[in-house]
Structure formats: structure tokens, C-alpha cells
Amino acid sequence: SKDEAEKISASITEKCGEELETKAQQLRQPRLVIHNIPEEITTENATKAIIEQNPELQTEQAKISPKFIFHSGRQNRNLVIEVNSETRRLILNNKMKIGWMICNVQDYFRINRCFKGSKFNHRHTECRGEETCPVCTGPHSLKDCKVSQAEYKCINCVTYNKFNLRNTTCVNHTSIDRNCPSLQAAIKMQNQNTDN
């Protein structure tokens, strides 16, 4: 807990203050995704549009920081914003009005997945592992995979099971499956490190 962390920090500083410096982990700011925003909204004018059209939020401009816009599979434009925890609660309890649209908003979690080794929390440019197929865990790329759905295997869940023999998880899915237990655990961990 926060109180326990402060006590430990004070004790370390008292006993080893000259050799060690304590620093508590800072929780990251929450990110939200606003779905299906109008074409005229950009990262430059989004904050103003949100504040002007949603007076019930009663928030200042500094509490909303647009990060980027991305397109979904249906070519809908989606805006990712960074907010503080209070603004997050206000936004999630209301529909977001932007332009002539009423947009859905939800928490935004993005877990990096390597396209070379299919594991989490790094990119392919930083990967030191072997090339691993995200569908069958074979030593080949996704485009060269020829297995059937019955042979799907997730490299992340296989690795988890290797180190957790008493609490194994299902491995019969791809590492790009949104319902992958390893992916859900990574999202949960990111959520715990976010100031919600």
C-alpha cells in the first residue's frame, strides 16, 4: 500500500540515506479512446472541442491531453487522450459530444507485442529472441504458417506454463487472440500501474 511504501522509504533513507536514494513508482496517467470522432477533429483542436461541447465535465484544458488518432478496421477515426483520474471518471460516466457526433469512450490499454518473437512488452527491433510464429510457436513467420486451427498454440501461455506448473493455463489459441490469458494478465498489470 501507499502507507507501507512510505514507511519502507523512510526506513531506507534513515539507515542508508548516504548510499541509497528511494523513489516510489509513479502511476501512469489513464488513457481513454474516443471512438468514431468527426473528420474535422485533430490532436490540435480536440481539447477545445471536448471542453466546449461537454460542459458537464467541468474540467480545465490542462487535464485533457490528446495523444494520437488511429483508424479502426471500419475506417472509423479514434482519438486517444491522456487525462487524470478525476477527469477519467467524469468522462466515463457520460457520452462524449464532439462535433455532431455522440461518441463512445472507454479505457485504452495497449500492450506492445513483438512481431518477431510474438512476446509482450518489447518491439521487434529490440527483440533478442528467435523468430516465433504467433499461431503455432514454430520457428517461422506468420505468412509461412500452414497449421490448422486445431494446432494453434500461444507462445506466451506456453512460457507461462513452463514457470507455473501448479497453475497452468490453456495454450490452444494464437498469441494474437484478444482473449489470450497472458494478454489479459498484461492488461491487468498495466491497469494496476495506472492512476484510475
Side-chain angles (χ1 to χ4, degrees), residues 159-178:
T159 304
Y160 174 84
N161 287 348
K162 213 182 283 186
F163 296 103
N164 296 282
L165 299 175
R166 293 185 186 170
N167 187 23
T168 60
T169 188
C170 173
V171 299
N172 300 338
H173 57 272
T174 69
S175 66
I176 49 181
D177 186 341
R178 289 185 181 182

Side-chain angles (χ1 to χ4, degrees), residues 11 23 32 42 62 70 88 94 98 119 146-147 152 178:
S11 178
K23 186 176 180 182
L32 302 173
T42 65
F70 69 94
R88 174 189 171 269
N94 296 287
I98 302 179
K119 294 193 178 179
K146 298 186 183 356
V147 301
Y152 285 178
R178 289 185 181 182

